[in-house]
Amino acid sequence: MLPSLVQDDLPWLQSLRATGDAQASAVRTLRALLVRALASALRHRAEVDASQVEDFAQDALLHILRRLDDFEGRSKFTTWAIAIAIDTAMSQLRRRHWQNISLDALMAQGAELAPLLHSTAEPPDTEDQRRLLSLLRDSISRHLTDRQRAAIAGQLQGLSVEELASALRTTPGGLYKLIHDARRALKKHLLASGITASQIRTAFAP
Amino acid sequence: MKLHRHLHLRPLLEAVALTRDSEFDCAACSRHVAELADSLKSPSTPLSRELDLTRHHLAICQQCHDDFQMLQRAVAGIRE
Ligand SMILES: [Zn+2]
């Protein structure tokens, strides 16, 4: 534990906005805190070494210093700063794993979505499961657009939000709306068929 | 890239079941994750509407959920 790293918010902001030695000292302390935080957060990722953690911390530090006016005091300053650091690091790591999927490939995946739900990892055992799966496939085929099917297929494949949005030539916000509208349509039609939200959630639960 | 032959149904069904008419998207969620992480340290305190929407988004969005778990681990890490 480094008590000096976990101080009250006011001294952080005052020190980081100061000039001279006071600011330099606060920046060094914040940087050390970010390195420690990122090392904890990323310790399960074998591809990230100590020098990369240092680089992520440095990038995050610049973001944080540019955004000091955005801090509204709704959380501890350190938690806010660490959240920015995680976002900075994960954005860079996700970009490294981009597969540059084309729009055509994604749309082709979307077209396969409903048929593929036949051969799922959780094959239906009971009559309730078979009925839910059949209704879901039917709803996907009849009530979703091609782009919604493509977005859900990409999401089920584990594509990142940014990569999927880029492939679909939209923004992350636009992608969220596309998938949200799709989920709402699926839920509406499943509920209208007499299936409850609880049944949807638990039908294939272990 | 070819679509996997085995698609896990459960995440889709879970997200459909939890779907609300009004939700936070990833950007709105990211504006509140720090506050949520601090709030969850005292679980007896009721969550504000914004933090409830943030927690709901984390239940729907795997990417934000993973990042939030990292945030919690990191916050704990600076106190070790
Ligand atoms: Zn999200």
Side-chain angles (χ1 to χ4, degrees):
Chain A
M1 167 108 175
L2 296 174
S4 64
L5 295 185
V6 191
Q7 44 184 295
D8 291 339
D9 294 334
L10 194 58
W12 270 117
L13 288 177
Q14 279 179 345
S15 308
L16 291 169
R17 285 180 174 136
T19 54
D21 289 348
Q23 189 202 32
S25 168
V27 168
R28 272 197 306 275
T29 307
L30 179 56
R31 193 177 182 286
L33 180 142
L34 295 176
V35 168
R36 177 178 284 217
L38 286 172
S40 292
L42 298 169
R43 66 181 164 219
H44 63 296
R45 300 193 66 128
E47 81 269 30
V48 180
D49 61 22
S51 76
Q52 285 177 314
V53 168
E54 296 272 346
D55 290 346
F56 290 148
Q58 183 62 31
D59 289 348
L61 183 63
L62 298 177
H63 283 299
I64 291 162
L65 294 176
R66 273 198 298 268
R67 291 175 52 185
L68 284 182
D69 288 344
D70 294 347
F71 178 64
E72 296 173 335
R74 288 185 282 107
S75 65
K76 288 187 175 172
F77 177 81
T78 49
T79 310
W80 176 80
I82 292 168
I84 291 176
I86 303 260
D87 185 53
T88 302
M90 291 312 298
S91 295
Q92 293 187 33
L93 286 171
R94 287 188 187 110
R95 252 196 307 274
R96 278 186 211 164
H97 292 103
W98 271 35
Q99 301 174 66
N100 286 320
I101 294 160
S102 70
L103 179 61
D104 287 349
L106 201 56
M107 296 303 270
Q109 288 187 356
E112 285 186 81
L113 176 63
L116 266 190
L117 287 175
H118 254 324
S119 56
T120 63
E122 298 101 344
D125 292 329
T126 67
E127 190 50 45
D128 283 351
Q129 288 179 336
R130 275 190 285 276
R131 178 160 177 261
L132 174 57
L133 187 54
S134 165
L135 286 168
L136 181 67
R137 290 188 60 240
D138 184 59
S139 295
I140 287 172
S141 300
R142 289 175 48 201
H143 302 299
L144 299 193
T145 65
D146 290 344
R147 278 170 65 78
Q148 286 174 327
R149 281 189 283 270
I152 289 178
Q155 194 178 46
L156 291 179
Q157 296 287 310
L159 296 185
S160 74
V161 169
E162 293 77 11
E163 184 171 19
L164 193 47
S166 169
L168 287 167
R169 294 169 193 169
T170 184
T171 60
L175 173 67
Y176 197 85
K177 183 174 183 328
L178 186 69
I179 294 177
H180 181 214
D181 288 346
R183 284 191 280 106
R184 286 173 65 194
L186 293 177
K187 185 171 185 177
K188 179 181 157 197
H189 287 99
L190 291 175
L191 294 181
S193 305
I195 293 182
T196 66
S198 170
Q199 288 170 321
I200 297 170
R201 196 172 179 189
T202 59
F204 286 87
Chain B
M1 180 181 156
K2 193 84 180 99
L3 199 62
H4 296 166
R5 301 314 295 177
H6 291 290
L7 281 184
H8 289 277
L9 258 181
R10 230 177 284 144
L12 176 60
L13 290 174
E14 176 95 2
V16 167
L18 293 175
T19 294
R20 299 177 181 176
D21 284 343
S22 177
E23 297 183 358
F24 268 0
D25 65 11
C26 300
C29 174
S30 80
R31 285 195 291 274
H32 292 86
V33 282
E35 188 182 356
L36 182 65
D38 284 350
S39 295
L40 292 181
K41 286 188 220 153
S42 34
S44 56
T45 312
L47 294 183
S48 65
R49 180 179 170 275
E50 283 79 14
L51 293 192
D52 175 64
L53 284 165
T54 305
R55 194 162 62 171
H56 175 262
H57 179 86
L58 296 176
I60 297 264
C61 177
Q62 187 66 44
Q63 186 166 309
C64 289
H65 178 265
D66 292 348
D67 288 2
F68 185 71
Q69 286 195 318
M70 273 196 272
L71 173 61
Q72 289 182 305
R73 207 159 50 230
V75 169
I78 62 167
R79 286 158 204 287
E80 280 168 4

